[in-house]
Amino acid sequence: MSSAIPKPGRDTLKQSLVELLPVADALDASDLRDAAEACIVLLDAPMRVDQKSLAPLLKLTHERAAEVFRRGARDADGPLRARLEACRKRAEAQAKQMQQFLPTLFS
């Protein structure tokens, strides 16, 4: 059984996801918004939320974020392009980290 995500951790994750919503809207990325909102709904649930429940949704959110930042960087230039590339790299690393973490939850 995976460990429960404590309230402070849930709040921090939720805040990060909420901050991602305007980015998704600005980049017209409904798939990213949908993935982030799914995580937020789970984090807001009155039930116990464990890593096993949340990890696949977070992985999906990171994957979608990476794709949105990749598309945005293609269309940008200068400092904005560099910023989007940095965001893409971070999102890809986080998705990879979640991919490596998932098997430990389901074993």
Side-chain angles (χ1 to χ4, degrees), residues 10-24:
R10 286 170 73 157
D11 292 343
T12 300
L13 282 169
K14 181 181 171 189
Q15 183 59 39
S16 294
L17 291 161
V18 166
E19 291 171 2
L20 191 58
L21 296 178
V23 173

Side-chain angles (χ1 to χ4, degrees), residues 59 62 87 89-99:
K59 178 181 177 285
H62 292 309
C87 290
K89 287 178 184 175
R90 187 174 66 234
E92 286 175 346
Q94 290 169 332
K96 184 177 179 181
Q97 187 177 42
M98 291 305 302
Q99 181 64 37

Side-chain angles (χ1 to χ4, degrees), residues 65-84:
E67 181 55 33
V68 166
F69 294 136
R70 184 179 297 106
R71 286 192 316 250
R74 257 194 323 253
D75 299 335
D77 57 6
L80 177 58
R81 182 183 191 131
R83 173 74 187 216
L84 289 169

Side-chain angles (χ1 to χ4, degrees), residues 21-104:
L21 296 178
V23 173
D25 292 341
L27 297 172
D28 198 27
S30 60
D31 55 343
L32 174 56
R33 176 176 255 289
D34 292 346
E37 286 179 338
C39 290
I40 291 168
V41 167
L42 183 59
L43 291 167
D44 278 344
M47 62 187 194
R48 176 185 183 274
V49 176
D50 61 21
Q51 294 172 354
K52 190 173 185 177
S53 301
L54 189 61
L57 285 174
L58 282 177
K59 178 181 177 285
L60 178 64
T61 302
H62 292 309
E63 289 171 344
R64 290 187 176 171
E67 181 55 33
V68 166
F69 294 136
R70 184 179 297 106
R71 286 192 316 250
R74 257 194 323 253
D75 299 335
D77 57 6
L80 177 58
R81 182 183 191 131
R83 173 74 187 216
L84 289 169
E85 280 295 322
C87 290
R88 177 194 56 83
K89 287 178 184 175
R90 187 174 66 234
E92 286 175 346
Q94 290 169 332
K96 184 177 179 181
Q97 187 177 42
M98 291 305 302
Q99 181 64 37
Q100 292 170 341
F101 182 58
L102 283 172
T104 63

